[in-house]
Coordinates of all heavy atoms in Angstrom, one line a residue:
M1 N 0.8 -1.2 0.0 CA 0.0 0.0 0.0 C 0.9 1.3 0.0 O 0.4 2.3 -0.4 CB -0.9 0.0 1.2 CG -1.9 -1.1 1.4 SD -3.5 -1.1 0.7 CE -3.8 0.0 -0.5
F2 N 2.1 1.1 0.5 CA 3.0 2.3 0.5 C 4.0 2.2 -0.6 O 4.5 1.2 -0.9 CB 3.7 2.4 1.9 CG 2.8 2.6 3.0 CD1 2.5 1.6 3.9 CD2 2.2 3.8 3.3 CE1 1.6 1.8 5.0 CE2 1.3 4.1 4.3 CZ 1.0 3.0 5.2
A3 N 4.4 3.4 -1.0 CA 5.4 3.5 -2.0 C 6.7 3.1 -1.3 O 6.9 3.2 -0.1 CB 5.5 4.9 -2.5
P4 N 7.7 2.6 -2.1 CA 9.0 2.1 -1.5 C 9.6 3.2 -0.7 O 10.2 2.9 0.4 CB 9.8 1.8 -2.7 CG 8.8 1.3 -3.7 CD 7.6 2.3 -3.5
A5 N 9.6 4.5 -1.1 CA 10.2 5.6 -0.3 C 9.5 5.7 1.0 O 10.2 6.0 2.0 CB 10.2 6.9 -1.1
E6 N 8.2 5.6 1.0 CA 7.4 5.7 2.3 C 7.8 4.5 3.2 O 7.9 4.7 4.4 CB 5.9 5.7 2.0 CG 5.4 7.0 1.4 CD 4.0 6.9 1.1 OE1 3.6 6.0 0.3 OE2 3.2 7.8 1.5
Q7 N 7.9 3.4 2.7 CA 8.2 2.2 3.5 C 9.6 2.4 4.1 O 9.7 2.1 5.3 CB 8.2 0.9 2.6 CG 6.9 0.5 2.1 CD 7.0 -0.7 1.1 OE1 8.1 -1.3 0.9 NE2 5.9 -1.1 0.5
E8 N 10.5 2.8 3.3 CA 11.9 3.1 3.9 C 11.9 4.1 5.0 O 12.6 4.0 6.0 CB 12.8 3.4 2.7 CG 13.1 2.3 1.8 CD 14.0 2.7 0.6 OE1 14.7 3.8 0.7 OE2 13.9 2.0 -0.4
A9 N 11.1 5.2 4.7 CA 11.1 6.3 5.7 C 10.5 5.8 7.0 O 11.0 6.1 8.1 CB 10.3 7.5 5.2
F10 N 9.4 5.0 7.0 CA 8.8 4.5 8.2 C 9.7 3.5 8.9 O 9.8 3.5 10.1 CB 7.4 3.8 7.9 CG 6.3 4.8 7.6 CD1 5.5 4.6 6.5 CD2 6.1 5.9 8.4 CE1 4.4 5.5 6.2 CE2 5.1 6.8 8.1 CZ 4.2 6.6 7.0
A11 N 10.3 2.6 8.1 CA 11.3 1.7 8.7 C 12.4 2.4 9.4 O 12.9 2.0 10.4 CB 11.8 0.7 7.6
A12 N 12.9 3.4 8.7 CA 14.0 4.2 9.3 C 13.6 4.9 10.6 O 14.4 4.9 11.6 CB 14.5 5.2 8.3
R13 N 12.4 5.4 10.7 CA 11.9 6.0 11.9 C 11.8 5.0 13.0 O 12.2 5.3 14.2 CB 10.6 6.7 11.6 CG 10.8 8.0 10.8 CD 9.5 8.6 10.4 NE 8.6 8.9 11.6 CZ 7.3 9.4 11.4 NH1 6.8 9.5 10.2 NH2 6.6 9.6 12.5
I14 N 11.3 3.8 12.7 CA 11.1 2.8 13.8 C 12.5 2.4 14.2 O 12.8 2.2 15.4 CB 10.3 1.6 13.3 CG1 8.8 2.0 13.2 CG2 10.5 0.4 14.1 CD1 8.2 2.3 14.6
Q15 N 13.4 2.2 13.3 CA 14.8 1.7 13.6 C 15.4 2.8 14.5 O 16.2 2.5 15.4 CB 15.6 1.4 12.4 CG 17.0 0.9 12.7 CD 16.9 -0.4 13.5 OE1 16.1 -1.3 13.3 NE2 17.7 -0.5 14.6
Q16 N 15.2 4.0 14.2 CA 15.8 5.1 15.0 C 15.2 5.1 16.4 O 16.0 5.3 17.4 CB 15.5 6.5 14.3 CG 16.1 7.6 15.0 CD 15.9 9.0 14.3 OE1 15.1 9.0 13.3 NE2 16.5 10.0 14.8
A17 N 14.0 4.8 16.5 CA 13.4 4.7 17.9 C 14.0 3.5 18.7 O 14.4 3.7 19.8 CB 11.9 4.5 17.8
V18 N 14.2 2.4 18.0 CA 14.8 1.2 18.6 C 16.2 1.5 19.1 O 16.6 1.2 20.2 CB 14.7 0.0 17.7 CG1 15.5 -1.1 18.2 CG2 13.3 -0.4 17.5
T19 N 16.9 2.2 18.2 CA 18.3 2.5 18.4 C 18.4 3.5 19.6 O 19.4 3.4 20.4 CB 19.0 3.1 17.2 OG1 18.9 2.1 16.1 CG2 20.4 3.4 17.4
G20 N 17.5 4.4 19.7 CA 17.5 5.4 20.8 C 17.0 5.0 22.1 O 17.0 5.7 23.1
F21 N 16.5 3.7 22.2 CA 15.9 3.3 23.4 C 16.8 3.3 24.6 O 16.4 3.8 25.7 CB 15.3 1.8 23.2 CG 14.6 1.3 24.4 CD1 13.3 1.7 24.6 CD2 15.2 0.5 25.3 CE1 12.6 1.2 25.7 CE2 14.6 0.0 26.4 CZ 13.3 0.4 26.6
V22 N 18.0 2.9 24.5 CA 18.9 2.9 25.6 C 19.2 4.3 26.1 O 19.2 4.5 27.4 CB 20.3 2.2 25.2 CG1 21.3 2.4 26.3 CG2 20.1 0.8 24.8
E23 N 19.3 5.3 25.3 CA 19.5 6.7 25.7 C 18.3 7.3 26.4 O 18.4 7.9 27.4 CB 19.9 7.5 24.5 CG 21.4 7.6 24.2 CD 21.6 8.6 23.1 OE1 21.1 9.7 23.1 OE2 22.4 8.2 22.2
D24 N 17.1 7.0 25.7 CA 15.9 7.7 26.3 C 14.7 6.8 25.9 O 14.1 7.0 24.9 CB 15.8 9.1 25.6 CG 14.6 9.9 26.3 OD1 13.8 9.3 27.0 OD2 14.6 11.1 26.0
P25 N 14.4 5.8 26.8 CA 13.3 4.9 26.5 C 12.0 5.5 26.3 O 11.2 5.1 25.4 CB 13.3 4.0 27.8 CG 14.7 4.1 28.4 CD 15.1 5.5 28.1
H26 N 11.7 6.6 27.1 CA 10.4 7.2 27.0 C 10.2 7.9 25.6 O 9.2 7.7 24.9 CB 10.2 8.3 28.1 CG 10.0 7.6 29.4 ND1 8.9 7.0 29.8 CD2 10.9 7.5 30.4 CE1 9.0 6.6 31.0 NE2 10.2 6.8 31.5
R27 N 11.3 8.6 25.2 CA 11.3 9.2 23.9 C 11.2 8.2 22.7 O 10.5 8.4 21.8 CB 12.5 10.1 23.7 CG 12.4 10.8 22.4 CD 13.6 11.9 22.3 NE 14.0 11.9 20.9 CZ 15.3 11.9 20.5 NH1 16.2 12.0 21.4 NH2 15.6 11.9 19.3
A28 N 11.9 7.1 22.9 CA 11.9 6.0 21.9 C 10.5 5.5 21.7 O 10.0 5.3 20.5 CB 12.9 4.9 22.3
V29 N 9.8 5.2 22.8 CA 8.5 4.7 22.7 C 7.5 5.8 22.1 O 6.6 5.4 21.3 CB 8.0 4.2 24.0 CG1 6.5 3.8 24.0 CG2 8.8 3.0 24.5
R30 N 7.7 7.0 22.5 CA 6.8 8.1 21.9 C 7.0 8.2 20.4 O 6.1 8.3 19.7 CB 7.1 9.4 22.6 CG 6.5 9.7 24.0 CD 6.6 11.1 24.4 NE 7.9 11.7 24.3 CZ 8.9 11.6 25.3 NH1 8.6 11.0 26.4 NH2 10.0 12.2 25.1
D31 N 8.3 8.1 20.0 CA 8.6 8.2 18.6 C 8.0 7.0 17.8 O 7.5 7.2 16.7 CB 10.1 8.3 18.3 CG 10.7 9.6 18.8 OD1 10.0 10.5 19.1 OD2 12.0 9.6 18.8
A32 N 8.1 5.8 18.4 CA 7.6 4.6 17.8 C 6.0 4.7 17.7 O 5.4 4.4 16.7 CB 8.0 3.4 18.6
D33 N 5.4 5.2 18.8 CA 4.0 5.4 18.8 C 3.6 6.4 17.7 O 2.6 6.2 17.0 CB 3.5 5.9 20.2 CG 2.0 6.1 20.2 OD1 1.3 5.1 20.0 OD2 1.6 7.3 20.4
A34 N 4.3 7.5 17.6 CA 3.9 8.5 16.5 C 4.1 7.9 15.1 O 3.2 8.2 14.3 CB 4.8 9.7 16.7
T35 N 5.1 7.1 14.9 CA 5.3 6.5 13.6 C 4.2 5.5 13.3 O 3.6 5.5 12.2 CB 6.7 5.8 13.6 OG1 7.7 6.7 13.8 CG2 6.9 5.2 12.2
F36 N 3.8 4.7 14.3 CA 2.7 3.8 14.2 C 1.4 4.5 13.9 O 0.7 4.1 12.9 CB 2.6 3.0 15.5 CG 1.4 2.0 15.4 CD1 1.5 0.8 14.8 CD2 0.2 2.3 16.1 CE1 0.4 0.0 14.7 CE2 -0.8 1.5 16.1 CZ -0.8 0.3 15.4
E37 N 1.1 5.5 14.6 CA -0.1 6.3 14.3 C -0.1 6.9 12.9 O -1.2 6.9 12.3 CB -0.2 7.4 15.4 CG -0.6 6.9 16.8 CD -1.9 6.2 16.8 OE1 -2.9 6.7 16.2 OE2 -2.0 5.2 17.6
E38 N 1.0 7.3 12.4 CA 1.1 7.9 11.1 C 0.9 6.8 10.0 O 0.2 7.0 9.0 CB 2.4 8.6 10.9 CG 2.4 9.4 9.6 CD 3.7 10.2 9.4 OE1 4.4 10.5 10.4 OE2 4.0 10.5 8.2
V39 N 1.5 5.6 10.3 CA 1.3 4.5 9.4 C -0.2 4.1 9.3 O -0.7 3.9 8.2 CB 2.2 3.3 9.8 CG1 1.8 2.1 9.0 CG2 3.6 3.6 9.5
V40 N -0.8 4.0 10.5 CA -2.2 3.6 10.5 C -3.1 4.7 9.8 O -4.0 4.3 9.0 CB -2.7 3.4 12.0 CG1 -4.2 3.3 12.1 CG2 -2.0 2.2 12.6
A41 N -2.8 5.9 10.0 CA -3.6 7.0 9.4 C -3.4 7.0 7.9 O -4.4 7.1 7.1 CB -3.2 8.3 10.0
D42 N -2.2 6.8 7.5 CA -1.9 6.8 6.0 C -2.5 5.6 5.4 O -3.0 5.7 4.2 CB -0.4 6.9 5.7 CG 0.2 8.2 6.0 OD1 -0.5 9.2 6.4 OD2 1.4 8.4 5.9
L43 N -2.4 4.5 6.0 CA -3.0 3.2 5.5 C -4.5 3.4 5.4 O -5.1 3.0 4.4 CB -2.7 2.0 6.4 CG -3.2 0.7 6.0 CD1 -2.7 0.3 4.6 CD2 -2.8 -0.4 7.0
G44 N -5.1 3.9 6.4 CA -6.6 4.2 6.4 C -7.0 5.1 5.2 O -8.0 4.8 4.5
A45 N -6.2 6.1 5.0 CA -6.5 7.0 3.9 C -6.4 6.3 2.6 O -7.2 6.5 1.7 CB -5.6 8.3 4.0
A46 N -5.3 5.5 2.5 CA -5.1 4.8 1.2 C -6.2 3.8 0.9 O -6.6 3.7 -0.2 CB -3.7 4.1 1.2
L47 N -6.6 3.1 2.0 CA -7.7 2.1 1.8 C -9.0 2.8 1.5 O -9.7 2.3 0.6 CB -7.8 1.3 3.0 CG -6.7 0.3 3.3 CD1 -6.8 -0.3 4.7 CD2 -6.6 -0.8 2.2
A48 N -9.3 3.9 2.1 CA -10.5 4.7 1.8 C -10.5 5.1 0.4 O -11.5 5.1 -0.3 CB -10.6 5.8 2.8
E49 N -9.4 5.6 -0.1 CA -9.3 6.1 -1.5 C -9.4 4.9 -2.5 O -10.1 5.1 -3.5 CB -7.9 6.8 -1.7 CG -7.7 7.3 -3.1 CD -8.7 8.3 -3.6 OE1 -9.4 8.9 -2.8 OE2 -8.7 8.6 -4.8
R50 N -8.8 3.8 -2.2 CA -8.9 2.7 -3.0 C -10.4 2.2 -3.1 O -10.9 1.9 -4.2 CB -8.0 1.5 -2.5 CG -8.1 0.3 -3.4 CD -7.4 0.6 -4.7 NE -7.4 -0.6 -5.5 CZ -7.8 -0.7 -6.8 NH1 -8.2 0.4 -7.4 NH2 -7.9 -1.8 -7.4
G51 N -11.1 2.2 -2.0 CA -12.5 1.8 -2.0 C -13.3 2.8 -2.7 O -14.2 2.4 -3.5
R52 N -13.0 4.1 -2.6 CA -13.7 5.1 -3.3 C -13.6 4.9 -4.8 O -14.6 5.0 -5.6 CB -13.3 6.5 -2.9 CG -14.1 7.6 -3.5 CD -13.5 9.0 -3.3 NE -12.2 9.2 -4.0 CZ -12.2 9.4 -5.3 NH1 -13.2 9.4 -6.1 NH2 -11.0 9.5 -5.9
L53 N -12.4 4.6 -5.2 CA -12.1 4.4 -6.7 C -12.8 3.2 -7.2 O -13.4 3.2 -8.3 CB -10.6 4.3 -6.9 CG -9.8 5.6 -6.8 CD1 -8.3 5.3 -6.9 CD2 -10.2 6.7 -7.7
L54 N -12.8 2.1 -6.4 CA -13.6 0.9 -6.8 C -15.1 1.2 -6.9 O -15.7 0.8 -7.9 CB -13.3 -0.2 -5.9 CG -11.9 -0.9 -6.1 CD1 -11.6 -1.8 -4.9 CD2 -11.8 -1.6 -7.4
R55 N -15.6 1.9 -5.9 CA -17.0 2.2 -5.9 C -17.5 3.1 -7.0 O -18.5 3.0 -7.6 CB -17.5 2.7 -4.5 CG -17.6 1.7 -3.4 CD -18.2 2.3 -2.2 NE -17.4 3.3 -1.6 CZ -16.3 3.1 -0.9 NH1 -15.9 1.9 -0.6 NH2 -15.6 4.1 -0.4
S56 N -16.6 4.1 -7.3 CA -17.0 5.1 -8.3 C -16.8 4.5 -9.7 O -17.3 5.1 -10.7 CB -16.1 6.3 -8.2 OG -14.8 6.1 -8.6
G57 N -16.1 3.4 -9.8 CA -15.9 2.8 -11.1 C -15.0 3.7 -12.0 O -15.2 3.8 -13.2
K58 N -14.0 4.3 -11.4 CA -13.1 5.2 -12.1 C -12.5 4.4 -13.3 O -12.3 5.0 -14.4 CB -12.0 5.7 -11.2 CG -11.0 6.5 -12.0 CD -9.9 7.0 -11.0 CE -9.0 8.0 -11.8 NZ -7.6 7.7 -11.6
D59 N -12.3 3.1 -13.1 CA -11.8 2.3 -14.2 C -12.9 1.6 -15.0 O -12.6 0.7 -15.8 CB -10.7 1.3 -13.7 CG -11.4 0.3 -12.7 OD1 -12.6 0.5 -12.4 OD2 -10.7 -0.5 -12.2
G60 N -14.1 2.1 -14.8 CA -15.3 1.5 -15.5 C -15.8 0.2 -14.8 O -16.7 -0.4 -15.4
S61 N -15.3 -0.1 -13.6 CA -15.7 -1.3 -13.0 C -16.6 -1.2 -11.8 O -16.9 -2.1 -11.1 CB -14.5 -2.1 -12.6 OG -13.7 -1.4 -11.7
G62 N -17.1 0.0 -11.5 CA -18.0 0.2 -10.4 C -19.3 -0.4 -10.6 O -19.8 -0.5 -11.7
A63 N -20.0 -0.8 -9.5 CA -21.2 -1.5 -9.6 C -22.3 -0.7 -10.3 O -23.2 -1.2 -11.0 CB -21.7 -2.0 -8.2
D64 N -22.3 0.6 -10.1 CA -23.3 1.5 -10.6 C -22.9 2.2 -11.9 O -23.6 3.1 -12.4 CB -23.7 2.6 -9.6 CG -24.3 1.9 -8.4 OD1 -24.9 0.9 -8.5 OD2 -24.1 2.5 -7.3
S65 N -21.8 1.8 -12.5 CA -21.3 2.5 -13.7 C -21.8 2.0 -15.0 O -21.4 2.4 -16.1 CB -19.7 2.4 -13.7 OG -19.3 1.1 -13.9
G66 N -22.7 0.9 -15.0 CA -23.1 0.3 -16.2 C -22.1 -0.5 -16.8 O -22.0 -0.8 -18.0
A67 N -21.1 -1.0 -16.0 CA -20.0 -1.8 -16.4 C -20.5 -3.2 -16.9 O -21.5 -3.7 -16.4 CB -19.0 -2.0 -15.3
D68 N -19.8 -3.7 -17.8 CA -20.1 -5.1 -18.3 C -19.6 -6.1 -17.3 O -18.9 -5.8 -16.3 CB -19.6 -5.4 -19.7 CG -18.1 -5.4 -19.8 OD1 -17.4 -5.6 -18.8 OD2 -17.6 -5.2 -21.0
T69 N -19.9 -7.4 -17.5 CA -19.6 -8.4 -16.6 C -18.0 -8.5 -16.4 O -17.6 -8.8 -15.3 CB -20.1 -9.8 -17.1 OG1 -21.5 -9.6 -17.3 CG2 -19.8 -10.9 -16.1
E70 N -17.3 -8.4 -17.4 CA -15.8 -8.5 -17.3 C -15.3 -7.4 -16.4 O -14.4 -7.6 -15.5 CB -15.1 -8.4 -18.7 CG -13.6 -8.5 -18.6 CD -13.1 -9.8 -18.0 OE1 -13.8 -10.8 -17.9 OE2 -11.9 -9.8 -17.7
D71 N -15.8 -6.2 -16.5 CA -15.4 -5.1 -15.7 C -15.7 -5.4 -14.2 O -14.9 -5.1 -13.3 CB -16.0 -3.7 -16.1 CG -15.5 -3.2 -17.4 OD1 -14.4 -3.6 -17.8 OD2 -16.3 -2.6 -18.1
L72 N -16.9 -5.9 -14.0 CA -17.3 -6.2 -12.6 C -16.5 -7.4 -12.1 O -16.1 -7.4 -10.9 CB -18.8 -6.6 -12.6 CG -19.7 -5.4 -13.0 CD1 -21.2 -6.0 -13.1 CD2 -19.7 -4.3 -11.9
R73 N -16.1 -8.3 -12.9 CA -15.2 -9.4 -12.4 C -13.9 -8.9 -12.0 O -13.4 -9.3 -10.9 CB -15.0 -10.4 -13.6 CG -14.2 -11.7 -13.2 CD -13.9 -12.6 -14.4 NE -13.0 -11.9 -15.3 CZ -11.7 -11.8 -15.1 NH1 -11.1 -12.3 -14.0 NH2 -10.9 -11.3 -16.0
I74 N -13.3 -7.9 -12.7 CA -12.1 -7.3 -12.3 C -12.2 -6.5 -11.0 O -11.4 -6.6 -10.1 CB -11.6 -6.4 -13.5 CG1 -11.1 -7.3 -14.7 CG2 -10.4 -5.6 -13.0 CD1 -10.9 -6.5 -15.9
A75 N -13.3 -5.8 -10.9 CA -13.5 -5.1 -9.6 C -13.6 -6.1 -8.4 O -13.1 -5.8 -7.4 CB -14.8 -4.2 -9.7
L76 N -14.3 -7.2 -8.6 CA -14.5 -8.2 -7.6 C -13.1 -8.7 -7.2 O -12.8 -9.0 -6.0 CB -15.4 -9.3 -8.0 CG -15.7 -10.4 -7.0 CD1 -16.3 -9.8 -5.7 CD2 -16.6 -11.4 -7.6
Q77 N -12.3 -9.0 -8.2 CA -10.9 -9.5 -8.0 C -10.1 -8.5 -7.1 O -9.4 -8.9 -6.2 CB -10.2 -9.7 -9.3 CG -10.6 -11.0 -10.0 CD -9.8 -11.2 -11.3 OE1 -9.4 -10.2 -11.9 NE2 -9.5 -12.4 -11.6
H78 N -10.2 -7.2 -7.4 CA -9.6 -6.2 -6.7 C -10.0 -6.2 -5.2 O -9.2 -6.1 -4.3 CB -9.8 -4.8 -7.3 CG -9.0 -4.5 -8.5 ND1 -7.6 -4.5 -8.6 CD2 -9.5 -4.3 -9.8 CE1 -7.3 -4.2 -9.8 NE2 -8.4 -4.2 -10.6
Y79 N -11.3 -6.3 -5.0 CA -11.9 -6.3 -3.6 C -11.4 -7.6 -2.9 O -10.9 -7.5 -1.8 CB -13.4 -6.3 -3.6 CG -14.1 -5.0 -3.8 CD1 -14.9 -4.7 -4.8 CD2 -13.9 -4.0 -2.8 CE1 -15.5 -3.4 -4.9 CE2 -14.5 -2.8 -2.9 CZ -15.3 -2.5 -3.9 OH -15.9 -1.3 -4.0
R80 N -11.4 -8.7 -3.6 CA -10.9 -9.9 -3.0 C -9.5 -9.9 -2.6 O -9.1 -10.2 -1.5 CB -11.2 -11.1 -3.9 CG -10.7 -12.5 -3.3 CD -10.6 -13.6 -4.3 NE -9.5 -13.2 -5.2 CZ -9.3 -13.6 -6.5 NH1 -10.2 -14.4 -7.0 NH2 -8.3 -13.2 -7.2
D81 N -8.6 -9.4 -3.5 CA -7.2 -9.4 -3.3 C -6.9 -8.4 -2.1 O -6.1 -8.8 -1.2 CB -6.5 -8.9 -4.5 CG -6.5 -9.9 -5.7 OD1 -6.9 -11.1 -5.4 OD2 -6.2 -9.5 -6.8
L82 N -7.5 -7.3 -2.1 CA -7.2 -6.3 -1.0 C -7.7 -6.8 0.3 O -7.0 -6.7 1.3 CB -7.9 -5.0 -1.4 CG -7.6 -3.8 -0.5 CD1 -6.1 -3.5 -0.4 CD2 -8.3 -2.5 -1.0
T83 N -8.9 -7.4 0.3 CA -9.5 -7.9 1.6 C -8.6 -9.1 2.1 O -8.3 -9.1 3.3 CB -10.9 -8.4 1.4 OG1 -11.7 -7.3 0.9 CG2 -11.5 -9.0 2.6
E84 N -8.2 -10.0 1.2 CA -7.3 -11.1 1.7 C -6.0 -10.6 2.2 O -5.5 -11.1 3.2 CB -7.1 -12.1 0.5 CG -8.3 -12.9 0.2 CD -8.2 -13.8 -0.9 OE1 -7.2 -13.7 -1.7 OE2 -9.1 -14.6 -1.1
R85 N -5.4 -9.5 1.6 CA -4.2 -9.0 2.1 C -4.4 -8.4 3.5 O -3.5 -8.5 4.4 CB -3.7 -7.9 1.2 CG -3.0 -8.5 -0.1 CD -2.7 -7.4 -1.1 NE -1.7 -6.4 -0.6 CZ -1.4 -5.3 -1.2 NH1 -1.9 -5.0 -2.3 NH2 -0.5 -4.5 -0.6
L86 N -5.5 -7.7 3.7 CA -5.7 -7.1 5.0 C -6.0 -8.1 6.1 O -5.5 -8.0 7.2 CB -6.9 -6.1 4.9 CG -6.7 -4.9 4.1 CD1 -8.0 -4.1 3.9 CD2 -5.7 -4.0 4.8
V87 N -6.7 -9.2 5.8 CA -7.0 -10.2 6.7 C -5.7 -10.9 7.2 O -5.6 -11.3 8.3 CB -8.0 -11.2 6.1 CG1 -8.1 -12.5 7.0 CG2 -9.3 -10.6 6.0
R88 N -4.7 -11.0 6.3 CA -3.4 -11.7 6.7 C -2.5 -10.8 7.5 O -1.5 -11.3 8.0 CB -2.7 -12.1 5.4 CG -3.3 -13.3 4.7 CD -2.4 -13.8 3.6 NE -2.1 -12.8 2.6 CZ -2.7 -12.7 1.4 NH1 -3.7 -13.5 1.2 NH2 -2.4 -11.8 0.5
L89 N -2.8 -9.5 7.7 CA -2.0 -8.6 8.5 C -1.9 -9.1 9.9 O -2.7 -9.6 10.6 CB -2.5 -7.2 8.5 CG -2.3 -6.5 7.2 CD1 -2.9 -5.1 7.3 CD2 -0.9 -6.4 6.7

């Protein structure tokens, strides 16, 4: 769900928190918490946008777009794939 640069940035922030634990445990946990909260918020926004695009049929596959069966099959695959990925988290 995240671009490679975003993944690296979040991973670096968490690693920095872990590395800084010995010096300042409270700050390390605050930094890790802030990073986690940002990841969750960004993930929620990305999922909401993906759902909006699927529902609107931006690619012609929305349920209300007058799409043909093939378009709807592709939309269903997108929903299935995304849902299965989330369930495995």
Side-chain angles (χ1 to χ4, degrees):
M1 300 271 18
F2 295 107
E6 290 175 304
Q7 291 175 6
E8 289 175 22
F10 287 133
R13 287 173 57 187
I14 286 295
Q15 185 56 46
Q16 185 176 5
V18 170
T19 302
F21 183 80
V22 172
E23 271 185 46
D24 189 343
H26 292 283
R27 183 171 142 221
V29 171
R30 281 193 309 271
D31 291 349
D33 179 60
T35 302
F36 175 78
E37 289 296 322
E38 190 174 336
V39 168
V40 169
D42 288 0
L43 180 59
L47 290 170
E49 177 63 12
R50 182 70 180 130
R52 186 189 68 73
L53 290 174
L54 284 169
R55 284 187 297 280
S56 73
K58 180 178 182 228
D59 60 358
S61 60
D64 296 328
S65 68
D68 66 20
T69 302
E70 180 62 14
D71 292 331
L72 294 172
R73 184 186 69 77
I74 291 168
L76 183 58
Q77 284 179 328
H78 287 294
Y79 277 119
R80 182 197 64 206
D81 294 347
L82 188 55
T83 301
E84 287 175 351
R85 284 174 59 191
L86 290 171
V87 169
R88 286 191 300 264
L89 290 179

